[in-house]
Amino acid sequence: MSAPTLDRPTDEAALQQRFDATIAADRRIEPRDWMPDGYRKTLVRQIAQHAHSEIIGMQPEGDWLLAAPSLRRKAILLAKVQDEAGHGMYLYSAAETLGADRADLTDKLIEQKQKYSSIFNYPTLTYADVGVIGWLVDGAAICNQVPLCRSSYGPYARAMIRICKEESFHQRQGYELLMTMMGGTEEQRAMVQDAVDRWWWPSLMMFGPPDDDSPNSAQSMAWGIKRHSNDELRQRYVDMSVPQAQFLGVTLPDPDLHWDEETGHWRFGPIDWAEFKQVVSGNGPANAERIRRRRAARDDNAWVTEAATAYARKHAGAVTEGAA
Ligand code: FAQ
């Protein structure tokens, strides 16, 4: 047996030291590297929640696929909703590199043992909601996710690069739809304003609880999983969105919103954290429906998974026999 060297540490303390040095040097942790249990658990938790959000996030806009007002709008929306499915798949794959099992993660979502983003528990009442989701919800997702492209875990960071590119297209298609509606009739402009009124505050909640009530932030930032705090990103998002709202010609539903010359930021009013807690604990307007549909998708399509698994097994057997 070879003696342990600095290159191939064998004891836990040396492994921890190497992990810490990798994080301190801002290099990536890869699936085969040793990592502390807490780091692995935190990543599985965040990546699984993120993947679930993408999959559940297909529902609010998916509800408008059959009612899109033109073939062009339908094609754009279809492409966007399919992209979200793809994002979910990249993210479940990233979670698998940490030893998580995809079917088990789906079960945990359906049994409500794992969370998904609060934002997807609000209904899409008019077609303007599709535009506002693209502009505000994808806008918030980009703001939160661009820094995750530099997350310390390699597979997560790399998945985020592609996801962010696609989210940028999503945001633009939403904004373009809203610009078109704002150039339309009074009724269309009113639909946009109504959608903005309903989605603005929930979009601010997407960034998570305030920093002093965010149990995971400090450790996640020390590990380089998260790069900025929830409040920092929320402020960045408000600063980015206010000029976009002005250009669009809508009013953000916040009487306290004002420009703070001293700090160079748009200051906003208090967020209703009681509503956030209600939604996250399963009591939002559409939680039950979202989970009911996800459960039905799993159960009704189980035969596809079984058939694909049987085919893959048979094919793998044939390959092994061929090799022999
Ligand atoms: N909703 O200690 P923290 C998208 C939970 S993808 C529900 O601050 P953390 C694309 C949190 O999990 C949107 N739960 O937690 C799209 C934790 O619970 P736990 C999803 C929330 O992890 C667009 C507890 O509260 N994006 O939109 C929420 O450090 C359009 C304490 O919170 C991601 O997942 C919430 N909003 O920071 C798709 C991005 N916020 O597990 C379709 C990656 C917090 O301790 C259409 N994730 N919680 O029981 C992150 O960046 C972080 O996980 C945060 C939360 C910032 C979300």
Side-chain angles (χ1 to χ4, degrees), residues 45-46 49-50 53-54 57 61 80 84 115-118 120 138 144-145 156 167 205-206 208-209 214-216 226 230 276:
R45 177 186 66 79
Q46 177 166 327
Q49 285 180 7
H50 195 165
S53 304
E54 302 281 359
E61 288 165 287
K80 180 186 191 288
E84 309 299 0
K115 298 186 170 83
Y116 59 91
S117 182
S118 49
F120 302 116
D138 285 278
N144 166 263
Q145 291 171 23
Y156 190 34
E167 300 289 21
M205 296 174 193
M206 285 177 73
S214 164
N216 302 296
K226 281 167 75 162
N230 298 355
F276 173 76

PDB file of all heavy atoms in Angstrom, residues 45-46 49-50 53-54 57 61 80 84 115-118 120 138 144-145 156 167 205-206 208-209 214-216 226 230 276, ligand 1:
ATOM      1  N   ARG A  45     -30.455  19.682  -1.841  1.00  0.00           N
ATOM      2  CA  ARG A  45     -31.659  20.441  -1.469  1.00  0.00           C
ATOM      3  C   ARG A  45     -31.908  21.577  -2.462  1.00  0.00           C
ATOM      4  O   ARG A  45     -32.993  21.674  -3.044  1.00  0.00           O
ATOM      5  CB  ARG A  45     -31.484  21.022  -0.054  1.00  0.00           C
ATOM      6  CG  ARG A  45     -32.631  21.888   0.420  1.00  0.00           C
ATOM      7  CD  ARG A  45     -32.327  22.561   1.767  1.00  0.00           C
ATOM      8  NE  ARG A  45     -31.266  23.519   1.697  1.00  0.00           N
ATOM      9  CZ  ARG A  45     -31.388  24.769   1.220  1.00  0.00           C
ATOM     10  NH1 ARG A  45     -32.564  25.201   0.812  1.00  0.00           N
ATOM     11  NH2 ARG A  45     -30.360  25.591   1.176  1.00  0.00           N
ATOM     12  N   GLN A  46     -30.891  22.382  -2.699  1.00  0.00           N
ATOM     13  CA  GLN A  46     -31.105  23.555  -3.570  1.00  0.00           C
ATOM     14  C   GLN A  46     -31.335  23.134  -5.030  1.00  0.00           C
ATOM     15  O   GLN A  46     -32.230  23.656  -5.699  1.00  0.00           O
ATOM     16  CB  GLN A  46     -29.905  24.517  -3.473  1.00  0.00           C
ATOM     17  CG  GLN A  46     -30.070  25.697  -4.420  1.00  0.00           C
ATOM     18  CD  GLN A  46     -29.125  26.838  -4.154  1.00  0.00           C
ATOM     19  OE1 GLN A  46     -28.765  27.105  -3.011  1.00  0.00           O
ATOM     20  NE2 GLN A  46     -28.712  27.532  -5.216  1.00  0.00           N
ATOM     21  N   GLN A  49     -34.801  21.561  -5.411  1.00  0.00           N
ATOM     22  CA  GLN A  49     -35.852  22.599  -5.371  1.00  0.00           C
ATOM     23  C   GLN A  49     -35.871  23.387  -6.672  1.00  0.00           C
ATOM     24  O   GLN A  49     -36.927  23.749  -7.180  1.00  0.00           O
ATOM     25  CB  GLN A  49     -35.588  23.569  -4.216  1.00  0.00           C
ATOM     26  CG  GLN A  49     -35.924  22.995  -2.862  1.00  0.00           C
ATOM     27  CD  GLN A  49     -35.642  23.974  -1.728  1.00  0.00           C
ATOM     28  OE1 GLN A  49     -35.319  25.139  -1.945  1.00  0.00           O
ATOM     29  NE2 GLN A  49     -35.761  23.498  -0.505  1.00  0.00           N
ATOM     30  N   HIS A  50     -34.696  23.618  -7.179  1.00  0.00           N
ATOM     31  CA  HIS A  50     -34.581  24.379  -8.421  1.00  0.00           C
ATOM     32  C   HIS A  50     -35.186  23.558  -9.578  1.00  0.00           C
ATOM     33  O   HIS A  50     -35.977  24.076 -10.372  1.00  0.00           O
ATOM     34  CB  HIS A  50     -33.099  24.691  -8.662  1.00  0.00           C
ATOM     35  CG  HIS A  50     -32.848  25.741  -9.684  1.00  0.00           C
ATOM     36  ND1 HIS A  50     -31.643  26.354  -9.825  1.00  0.00           N
ATOM     37  CD2 HIS A  50     -33.651  26.258 -10.645  1.00  0.00           C
ATOM     38  CE1 HIS A  50     -31.710  27.232 -10.822  1.00  0.00           C
ATOM     39  NE2 HIS A  50     -32.925  27.182 -11.340  1.00  0.00           N
ATOM     40  N   SER A  53     -38.847  23.469  -9.400  1.00  0.00           N
ATOM     41  CA  SER A  53     -39.437  24.761  -9.793  1.00  0.00           C
ATOM     42  C   SER A  53     -39.581  24.841 -11.309  1.00  0.00           C
ATOM     43  O   SER A  53     -40.581  25.349 -11.826  1.00  0.00           O
ATOM     44  CB  SER A  53     -38.560  25.925  -9.321  1.00  0.00           C
ATOM     45  OG  SER A  53     -38.359  25.860  -7.941  1.00  0.00           O
ATOM     46  N   GLU A  54     -38.568  24.351 -12.004  1.00  0.00           N
ATOM     47  CA  GLU A  54     -38.632  24.397 -13.472  1.00  0.00           C
ATOM     48  C   GLU A  54     -39.781  23.519 -13.975  1.00  0.00           C
ATOM     49  O   GLU A  54     -40.515  23.900 -14.889  1.00  0.00           O
ATOM     50  CB  GLU A  54     -37.309  23.907 -14.085  1.00  0.00           C
ATOM     51  CG  GLU A  54     -36.082  24.696 -13.660  1.00  0.00           C
ATOM     52  CD  GLU A  54     -35.912  26.023 -14.403  1.00  0.00           C
ATOM     53  OE1 GLU A  54     -36.737  26.335 -15.282  1.00  0.00           O
ATOM     54  OE2 GLU A  54     -34.943  26.742 -14.086  1.00  0.00           O
ATOM     55  N   GLY A  57     -43.014  24.896 -12.830  1.00  0.00           N
ATOM     56  CA  GLY A  57     -43.126  26.184 -13.523  1.00  0.00           C
ATOM     57  C   GLY A  57     -43.644  26.074 -14.943  1.00  0.00           C
ATOM     58  O   GLY A  57     -43.974  27.090 -15.564  1.00  0.00           O
ATOM     59  N   GLU A  61     -47.837  28.740 -17.381  1.00  0.00           N
ATOM     60  CA  GLU A  61     -47.855  29.186 -18.776  1.00  0.00           C
ATOM     61  C   GLU A  61     -48.427  28.104 -19.687  1.00  0.00           C
ATOM     62  O   GLU A  61     -49.088  28.400 -20.689  1.00  0.00           O
ATOM     63  CB  GLU A  61     -46.442  29.543 -19.227  1.00  0.00           C
ATOM     64  CG  GLU A  61     -45.946  30.824 -18.602  1.00  0.00           C
ATOM     65  CD  GLU A  61     -44.452  30.948 -18.780  1.00  0.00           C
ATOM     66  OE1 GLU A  61     -43.706  30.215 -18.091  1.00  0.00           O
ATOM     67  OE2 GLU A  61     -44.031  31.761 -19.606  1.00  0.00           O
ATOM     68  N   LYS A  80     -40.838  27.888 -25.158  1.00  0.00           N
ATOM     69  CA  LYS A  80     -40.433  28.311 -23.814  1.00  0.00           C
ATOM     70  C   LYS A  80     -40.752  27.238 -22.776  1.00  0.00           C
ATOM     71  O   LYS A  80     -39.917  26.879 -21.951  1.00  0.00           O
ATOM     72  CB  LYS A  80     -41.127  29.627 -23.438  1.00  0.00           C
ATOM     73  CG  LYS A  80     -40.726  30.098 -22.050  1.00  0.00           C
ATOM     74  CD  LYS A  80     -41.508  31.309 -21.603  1.00  0.00           C
ATOM     75  CE  LYS A  80     -40.929  31.921 -20.344  1.00  0.00           C
ATOM     76  NZ  LYS A  80     -41.161  31.140 -19.138  1.00  0.00           N
ATOM     77  N   GLU A  84     -38.267  24.901 -20.267  1.00  0.00           N
ATOM     78  CA  GLU A  84     -38.323  24.730 -18.800  1.00  0.00           C
ATOM     79  C   GLU A  84     -38.194  23.245 -18.443  1.00  0.00           C
ATOM     80  O   GLU A  84     -37.544  22.888 -17.464  1.00  0.00           O
ATOM     81  CB  GLU A  84     -39.622  25.286 -18.196  1.00  0.00           C
ATOM     82  CG  GLU A  84     -40.010  26.716 -18.589  1.00  0.00           C
ATOM     83  CD  GLU A  84     -39.016  27.801 -18.200  1.00  0.00           C
ATOM     84  OE1 GLU A  84     -37.978  27.485 -17.602  1.00  0.00           O
ATOM     85  OE2 GLU A  84     -39.280  28.978 -18.524  1.00  0.00           O
ATOM     86  N   LYS A 115     -39.378  21.475  -1.476  1.00  0.00           N
ATOM     87  CA  LYS A 115     -40.100  22.674  -1.922  1.00  0.00           C
ATOM     88  C   LYS A 115     -39.892  22.936  -3.416  1.00  0.00           C
ATOM     89  O   LYS A 115     -39.036  22.324  -4.055  1.00  0.00           O
ATOM     90  CB  LYS A 115     -39.592  23.876  -1.144  1.00  0.00           C
ATOM     91  CG  LYS A 115     -39.824  23.808   0.357  1.00  0.00           C
ATOM     92  CD  LYS A 115     -39.404  25.122   0.996  1.00  0.00           C
ATOM     93  CE  LYS A 115     -39.835  25.227   2.439  1.00  0.00           C
ATOM     94  NZ  LYS A 115     -38.932  24.572   3.371  1.00  0.00           N
ATOM     95  N   TYR A 116     -40.648  23.869  -3.933  1.00  0.00           N
ATOM     96  CA  TYR A 116     -40.398  24.474  -5.242  1.00  0.00           C
ATOM     97  C   TYR A 116     -40.762  25.946  -5.098  1.00  0.00           C
ATOM     98  O   TYR A 116     -41.395  26.336  -4.112  1.00  0.00           O
ATOM     99  CB  TYR A 116     -41.206  23.786  -6.366  1.00  0.00           C
ATOM    100  CG  TYR A 116     -42.701  23.822  -6.166  1.00  0.00           C
ATOM    101  CD1 TYR A 116     -43.473  24.872  -6.677  1.00  0.00           C
ATOM    102  CD2 TYR A 116     -43.349  22.838  -5.429  1.00  0.00           C
ATOM    103  CE1 TYR A 116     -44.846  24.921  -6.472  1.00  0.00           C
ATOM    104  CE2 TYR A 116     -44.714  22.880  -5.219  1.00  0.00           C
ATOM    105  CZ  TYR A 116     -45.458  23.921  -5.736  1.00  0.00           C
ATOM    106  OH  TYR A 116     -46.811  23.976  -5.523  1.00  0.00           O
ATOM    107  N   SER A 117     -40.386  26.748  -6.105  1.00  0.00           N
ATOM    108  CA  SER A 117     -40.520  28.197  -5.926  1.00  0.00           C
ATOM    109  C   SER A 117     -41.969  28.630  -5.688  1.00  0.00           C
ATOM    110  O   SER A 117     -42.893  28.219  -6.409  1.00  0.00           O
ATOM    111  CB  SER A 117     -39.960  28.942  -7.132  1.00  0.00           C
ATOM    112  OG  SER A 117     -40.056  30.322  -6.906  1.00  0.00           O
ATOM    113  N   SER A 118     -42.126  29.511  -4.692  1.00  0.00           N
ATOM    114  CA  SER A 118     -43.432  30.059  -4.318  1.00  0.00           C
ATOM    115  C   SER A 118     -44.169  30.674  -5.518  1.00  0.00           C
ATOM    116  O   SER A 118     -45.390  30.625  -5.602  1.00  0.00           O
ATOM    117  CB  SER A 118     -43.218  31.146  -3.257  1.00  0.00           C
ATOM    118  OG  SER A 118     -42.205  32.059  -3.665  1.00  0.00           O
ATOM    119  N   PHE A 120     -44.780  29.861  -8.453  1.00  0.00           N
ATOM    120  CA  PHE A 120     -45.604  29.047  -9.350  1.00  0.00           C
ATOM    121  C   PHE A 120     -46.920  28.598  -8.718  1.00  0.00           C
ATOM    122  O   PHE A 120     -47.637  27.770  -9.263  1.00  0.00           O
ATOM    123  CB  PHE A 120     -44.785  27.868  -9.897  1.00  0.00           C
ATOM    124  CG  PHE A 120     -43.565  28.365 -10.632  1.00  0.00           C
ATOM    125  CD1 PHE A 120     -42.290  28.089 -10.182  1.00  0.00           C
ATOM    126  CD2 PHE A 120     -43.715  29.184 -11.740  1.00  0.00           C
ATOM    127  CE1 PHE A 120     -41.172  28.601 -10.838  1.00  0.00           C
ATOM    128  CE2 PHE A 120     -42.604  29.714 -12.402  1.00  0.00           C
ATOM    129  CZ  PHE A 120     -41.343  29.412 -11.953  1.00  0.00           C
ATOM    130  N   ASP A 138     -39.049  35.360 -15.238  1.00  0.00           N
ATOM    131  CA  ASP A 138     -37.775  34.962 -15.841  1.00  0.00           C
ATOM    132  C   ASP A 138     -36.701  36.009 -15.532  1.00  0.00           C
ATOM    133  O   ASP A 138     -35.531  35.663 -15.363  1.00  0.00           O
ATOM    134  CB  ASP A 138     -37.923  34.746 -17.350  1.00  0.00           C
ATOM    135  CG  ASP A 138     -38.639  33.435 -17.643  1.00  0.00           C
ATOM    136  OD1 ASP A 138     -37.982  32.390 -17.627  1.00  0.00           O
ATOM    137  OD2 ASP A 138     -39.876  33.454 -17.848  1.00  0.00           O
ATOM    138  N   ASN A 144     -31.152  35.940 -10.191  1.00  0.00           N
ATOM    139  CA  ASN A 144     -30.742  34.989  -9.157  1.00  0.00           C
ATOM    140  C   ASN A 144     -29.739  33.962  -9.703  1.00  0.00           C
ATOM    141  O   ASN A 144     -28.843  33.499  -8.996  1.00  0.00           O
ATOM    142  CB  ASN A 144     -32.015  34.297  -8.620  1.00  0.00           C
ATOM    143  CG  ASN A 144     -31.733  33.071  -7.789  1.00  0.00           C
ATOM    144  OD1 ASN A 144     -31.786  31.965  -8.297  1.00  0.00           O
ATOM    145  ND2 ASN A 144     -31.423  33.257  -6.534  1.00  0.00           N
ATOM    146  N   GLN A 145     -29.888  33.610 -10.993  1.00  0.00           N
ATOM    147  CA  GLN A 145     -29.141  32.461 -11.500  1.00  0.00           C
ATOM    148  C   GLN A 145     -27.826  32.797 -12.190  1.00  0.00           C
ATOM    149  O   GLN A 145     -26.945  31.941 -12.274  1.00  0.00           O
ATOM    150  CB  GLN A 145     -30.040  31.640 -12.433  1.00  0.00           C
ATOM    151  CG  GLN A 145     -31.142  30.953 -11.628  1.00  0.00           C
ATOM    152  CD  GLN A 145     -32.207  30.290 -12.488  1.00  0.00           C
ATOM    153  OE1 GLN A 145     -31.976  29.953 -13.643  1.00  0.00           O
ATOM    154  NE2 GLN A 145     -33.374  30.098 -11.934  1.00  0.00           N
ATOM    155  N   TYR A 156     -23.415  21.915 -11.389  1.00  0.00           N
ATOM    156  CA  TYR A 156     -24.490  22.897 -11.196  1.00  0.00           C
ATOM    157  C   TYR A 156     -24.142  24.179 -11.958  1.00  0.00           C
ATOM    158  O   TYR A 156     -24.962  24.715 -12.711  1.00  0.00           O
ATOM    159  CB  TYR A 156     -24.659  23.182  -9.699  1.00  0.00           C
ATOM    160  CG  TYR A 156     -25.883  24.006  -9.315  1.00  0.00           C
ATOM    161  CD1 TYR A 156     -27.088  23.898  -9.997  1.00  0.00           C
ATOM    162  CD2 TYR A 156     -25.834  24.867  -8.220  1.00  0.00           C
ATOM    163  CE1 TYR A 156     -28.200  24.650  -9.622  1.00  0.00           C
ATOM    164  CE2 TYR A 156     -26.942  25.610  -7.828  1.00  0.00           C
ATOM    165  CZ  TYR A 156     -28.124  25.501  -8.536  1.00  0.00           C
ATOM    166  OH  TYR A 156     -29.221  26.244  -8.156  1.00  0.00           O
ATOM    167  N   GLU A 167     -32.980  31.467 -20.451  1.00  0.00           N
ATOM    168  CA  GLU A 167     -33.852  32.365 -19.669  1.00  0.00           C
ATOM    169  C   GLU A 167     -33.834  33.780 -20.258  1.00  0.00           C
ATOM    170  O   GLU A 167     -34.825  34.508 -20.172  1.00  0.00           O
ATOM    171  CB  GLU A 167     -33.444  32.438 -18.187  1.00  0.00           C
ATOM    172  CG  GLU A 167     -33.470  31.129 -17.412  1.00  0.00           C
ATOM    173  CD  GLU A 167     -34.852  30.578 -17.131  1.00  0.00           C
ATOM    174  OE1 GLU A 167     -35.818  30.940 -17.835  1.00  0.00           O
ATOM    175  OE2 GLU A 167     -34.969  29.753 -16.210  1.00  0.00           O
ATOM    176  N   MET A 205     -40.650  37.962  -3.863  1.00  0.00           N
ATOM    177  CA  MET A 205     -40.523  36.873  -2.876  1.00  0.00           C
ATOM    178  C   MET A 205     -39.678  35.715  -3.409  1.00  0.00           C
ATOM    179  O   MET A 205     -39.200  34.882  -2.642  1.00  0.00           O
ATOM    180  CB  MET A 205     -41.913  36.345  -2.486  1.00  0.00           C
ATOM    181  CG  MET A 205     -42.775  37.373  -1.783  1.00  0.00           C
ATOM    182  SD  MET A 205     -44.450  36.725  -1.522  1.00  0.00           S
ATOM    183  CE  MET A 205     -45.325  38.219  -1.065  1.00  0.00           C
ATOM    184  N   MET A 206     -39.517  35.652  -4.736  1.00  0.00           N
ATOM    185  CA  MET A 206     -38.729  34.556  -5.316  1.00  0.00           C
ATOM    186  C   MET A 206     -37.307  34.495  -4.763  1.00  0.00           C
ATOM    187  O   MET A 206     -36.676  33.445  -4.763  1.00  0.00           O
ATOM    188  CB  MET A 206     -38.623  34.727  -6.842  1.00  0.00           C
ATOM    189  CG  MET A 206     -39.860  34.378  -7.601  1.00  0.00           C
ATOM    190  SD  MET A 206     -39.629  34.717  -9.359  1.00  0.00           S
ATOM    191  CE  MET A 206     -38.536  33.405  -9.867  1.00  0.00           C
ATOM    192  N   GLY A 208     -36.337  34.703  -1.853  1.00  0.00           N
ATOM    193  CA  GLY A 208     -36.266  34.064  -0.542  1.00  0.00           C
ATOM    194  C   GLY A 208     -36.434  35.051   0.581  1.00  0.00           C
ATOM    195  O   GLY A 208     -36.516  36.267   0.367  1.00  0.00           O
ATOM    196  N   PRO A 209     -36.448  34.536   1.832  1.00  0.00           N
ATOM    197  CA  PRO A 209     -36.690  35.394   2.999  1.00  0.00           C
ATOM    198  C   PRO A 209     -35.584  36.442   3.148  1.00  0.00           C
ATOM    199  O   PRO A 209     -34.513  36.305   2.555  1.00  0.00           O
ATOM    200  CB  PRO A 209     -36.655  34.403   4.174  1.00  0.00           C
ATOM    201  CG  PRO A 209     -35.958  33.201   3.669  1.00  0.00           C
ATOM    202  CD  PRO A 209     -36.189  33.144   2.197  1.00  0.00           C
ATOM    203  N   SER A 214     -32.849  34.043   6.887  1.00  0.00           N
ATOM    204  CA  SER A 214     -32.490  33.054   5.871  1.00  0.00           C
ATOM    205  C   SER A 214     -31.487  32.067   6.463  1.00  0.00           C
ATOM    206  O   SER A 214     -30.286  32.332   6.502  1.00  0.00           O
ATOM    207  CB  SER A 214     -31.875  33.785   4.665  1.00  0.00           C
ATOM    208  OG  SER A 214     -31.198  32.884   3.831  1.00  0.00           O
ATOM    209  N   PRO A 215     -31.985  30.923   6.965  1.00  0.00           N
ATOM    210  CA  PRO A 215     -31.098  30.028   7.724  1.00  0.00           C
ATOM    211  C   PRO A 215     -29.945  29.445   6.905  1.00  0.00           C
ATOM    212  O   PRO A 215     -28.909  29.110   7.458  1.00  0.00           O
ATOM    213  CB  PRO A 215     -32.042  28.911   8.194  1.00  0.00           C
ATOM    214  CG  PRO A 215     -33.268  29.017   7.347  1.00  0.00           C
ATOM    215  CD  PRO A 215     -33.363  30.444   6.900  1.00  0.00           C
ATOM    216  N   ASN A 216     -30.122  29.344   5.585  1.00  0.00           N
ATOM    217  CA  ASN A 216     -29.092  28.651   4.789  1.00  0.00           C
ATOM    218  C   ASN A 216     -28.044  29.567   4.171  1.00  0.00           C
ATOM    219  O   ASN A 216     -27.002  29.094   3.717  1.00  0.00           O
ATOM    220  CB  ASN A 216     -29.768  27.865   3.654  1.00  0.00           C
ATOM    221  CG  ASN A 216     -30.768  26.856   4.179  1.00  0.00           C
ATOM    222  OD1 ASN A 216     -30.402  25.916   4.866  1.00  0.00           O
ATOM    223  ND2 ASN A 216     -32.047  27.053   3.879  1.00  0.00           N
ATOM    224  N   LYS A 226     -23.944  29.784  -3.097  1.00  0.00           N
ATOM    225  CA  LYS A 226     -24.578  31.068  -3.413  1.00  0.00           C
ATOM    226  C   LYS A 226     -23.484  32.133  -3.410  1.00  0.00           C
ATOM    227  O   LYS A 226     -22.567  32.063  -2.583  1.00  0.00           O
ATOM    228  CB  LYS A 226     -25.621  31.416  -2.332  1.00  0.00           C
ATOM    229  CG  LYS A 226     -26.942  30.685  -2.500  1.00  0.00           C
ATOM    230  CD  LYS A 226     -27.811  30.800  -1.270  1.00  0.00           C
ATOM    231  CE  LYS A 226     -28.479  32.139  -1.081  1.00  0.00           C
ATOM    232  NZ  LYS A 226     -29.629  32.050  -0.129  1.00  0.00           N
ATOM    233  N   ASN A 230     -29.844  36.925  -0.385  1.00  0.00           N
ATOM    234  CA  ASN A 230     -31.196  37.088  -0.940  1.00  0.00           C
ATOM    235  C   ASN A 230     -31.541  38.570  -1.128  1.00  0.00           C
ATOM    236  O   ASN A 230     -32.073  38.974  -2.159  1.00  0.00           O
ATOM    237  CB  ASN A 230     -32.235  36.445  -0.007  1.00  0.00           C
ATOM    238  CG  ASN A 230     -32.025  34.941   0.160  1.00  0.00           C
ATOM    239  OD1 ASN A 230     -31.162  34.354  -0.482  1.00  0.00           O
ATOM    240  ND2 ASN A 230     -32.821  34.310   1.021  1.00  0.00           N
ATOM    241  N   PHE A 276     -45.890  35.016   1.945  1.00  0.00           N
ATOM    242  CA  PHE A 276     -44.828  34.109   1.482  1.00  0.00           C
ATOM    243  C   PHE A 276     -44.872  32.801   2.271  1.00  0.00           C
ATOM    244  O   PHE A 276     -44.858  31.701   1.711  1.00  0.00           O
ATOM    245  CB  PHE A 276     -43.477  34.807   1.651  1.00  0.00           C
ATOM    246  CG  PHE A 276     -42.280  33.934   1.376  1.00  0.00           C
ATOM    247  CD1 PHE A 276     -41.918  33.611   0.072  1.00  0.00           C
ATOM    248  CD2 PHE A 276     -41.499  33.440   2.421  1.00  0.00           C
ATOM    249  CE1 PHE A 276     -40.804  32.814  -0.193  1.00  0.00           C
ATOM    250  CE2 PHE A 276     -40.386  32.649   2.169  1.00  0.00           C
ATOM    251  CZ  PHE A 276     -40.041  32.331   0.855  1.00  0.00           C
TER     252      PHE A 276
HETATM  253  N1  FAQ B   1     -40.091  29.635  -2.744  1.00  0.00           N
HETATM  254  O1  FAQ B   1     -32.367  29.971   3.824  1.00  0.00           O
HETATM  255  P1  FAQ B   1     -33.080  30.350   2.588  1.00  0.00           P
HETATM  256  C1  FAQ B   1     -37.484  29.810 -12.468  1.00  0.00           C
HETATM  257  C2  FAQ B   1     -37.105  28.273   1.151  1.00  0.00           C
HETATM  258  S1  FAQ B   1     -36.627  28.839 -11.374  1.00  0.00           S
HETATM  259  C3  FAQ B   1     -40.118  28.511  -2.012  1.00  0.00           C
HETATM  260  O2  FAQ B   1     -32.880  31.728   2.100  1.00  0.00           O
HETATM  261  P2  FAQ B   1     -31.659  29.258   0.307  1.00  0.00           P
HETATM  262  C4  FAQ B   1     -37.395  29.459 -13.922  1.00  0.00           C
HETATM  263  C5  FAQ B   1     -35.712  27.681   1.055  1.00  0.00           C
HETATM  264  O3  FAQ B   1     -35.664  26.660   0.098  1.00  0.00           O
HETATM  265  C6  FAQ B   1     -37.059  29.509  -9.777  1.00  0.00           C
HETATM  266  N2  FAQ B   1     -39.233  28.271  -1.021  1.00  0.00           N
HETATM  267  O4  FAQ B   1     -32.776  29.275   1.433  1.00  0.00           O
HETATM  268  C7  FAQ B   1     -38.718  29.585 -14.560  1.00  0.00           C
HETATM  269  C8  FAQ B   1     -35.495  27.212   2.452  1.00  0.00           C
HETATM  270  O5  FAQ B   1     -36.233  26.024   2.673  1.00  0.00           O
HETATM  271  P3  FAQ B   1     -35.591  24.663   3.263  1.00  0.00           P
HETATM  272  C9  FAQ B   1     -36.356  28.755  -8.731  1.00  0.00           C
HETATM  273  C10 FAQ B   1     -38.293  29.203  -0.790  1.00  0.00           C
HETATM  274  O6  FAQ B   1     -31.761  27.972  -0.393  1.00  0.00           O
HETATM  275  C11 FAQ B   1     -39.219  30.805 -14.932  1.00  0.00           C
HETATM  276  C12 FAQ B   1     -36.199  28.285   3.270  1.00  0.00           C
HETATM  277  O7  FAQ B   1     -37.138  28.902   2.407  1.00  0.00           O
HETATM  278  N3  FAQ B   1     -35.000  29.207  -8.637  1.00  0.00           N
HETATM  279  O8  FAQ B   1     -38.102  30.704 -12.034  1.00  0.00           O
HETATM  280  C13 FAQ B   1     -38.196  30.372  -1.533  1.00  0.00           C
HETATM  281  O9  FAQ B   1     -30.338  29.635   0.869  1.00  0.00           O
HETATM  282  C14 FAQ B   1     -40.471  30.914 -15.539  1.00  0.00           C
HETATM  283  C15 FAQ B   1     -35.234  29.305   3.834  1.00  0.00           C
HETATM  284  O10 FAQ B   1     -34.656  30.113   2.793  1.00  0.00           O
HETATM  285  C16 FAQ B   1     -34.116  28.567  -7.857  1.00  0.00           C
HETATM  286  O11 FAQ B   1     -34.418  27.591  -7.228  1.00  0.00           O
HETATM  287  C17 FAQ B   1     -39.151  30.578  -2.545  1.00  0.00           C
HETATM  288  N4  FAQ B   1     -39.160  31.679  -3.304  1.00  0.00           N
HETATM  289  O12 FAQ B   1     -32.084  30.444  -0.684  1.00  0.00           O
HETATM  290  C18 FAQ B   1     -39.467  28.444 -14.808  1.00  0.00           C
HETATM  291  C19 FAQ B   1     -32.712  29.149  -7.865  1.00  0.00           C
HETATM  292  N5  FAQ B   1     -37.175  31.095  -1.076  1.00  0.00           N
HETATM  293  O13 FAQ B   1     -35.003  23.933   2.128  1.00  0.00           O
HETATM  294  C20 FAQ B   1     -40.736  28.538 -15.424  1.00  0.00           C
HETATM  295  C21 FAQ B   1     -31.759  28.396  -6.998  1.00  0.00           C
HETATM  296  C22 FAQ B   1     -36.639  30.398  -0.052  1.00  0.00           C
HETATM  297  O14 FAQ B   1     -34.535  25.076   4.257  1.00  0.00           O
HETATM  298  C23 FAQ B   1     -41.215  29.789 -15.784  1.00  0.00           C
HETATM  299  N6  FAQ B   1     -32.045  28.554  -5.590  1.00  0.00           N
HETATM  300  N7  FAQ B   1     -37.332  29.267   0.114  1.00  0.00           N
HETATM  301  O15 FAQ B   1     -36.747  23.929   3.860  1.00  0.00           O
HETATM  302  C24 FAQ B   1     -31.586  29.584  -4.829  1.00  0.00           C
HETATM  303  O16 FAQ B   1     -30.913  30.482  -5.305  1.00  0.00           O
HETATM  304  C25 FAQ B   1     -31.917  29.548  -3.358  1.00  0.00           C
HETATM  305  O17 FAQ B   1     -32.313  28.243  -3.032  1.00  0.00           O
HETATM  306  C26 FAQ B   1     -33.012  30.564  -2.927  1.00  0.00           C
HETATM  307  C27 FAQ B   1     -33.282  30.358  -1.428  1.00  0.00           C
HETATM  308  C28 FAQ B   1     -32.500  31.978  -3.112  1.00  0.00           C
HETATM  309  C29 FAQ B   1     -34.296  30.354  -3.686  1.00  0.00           C
END
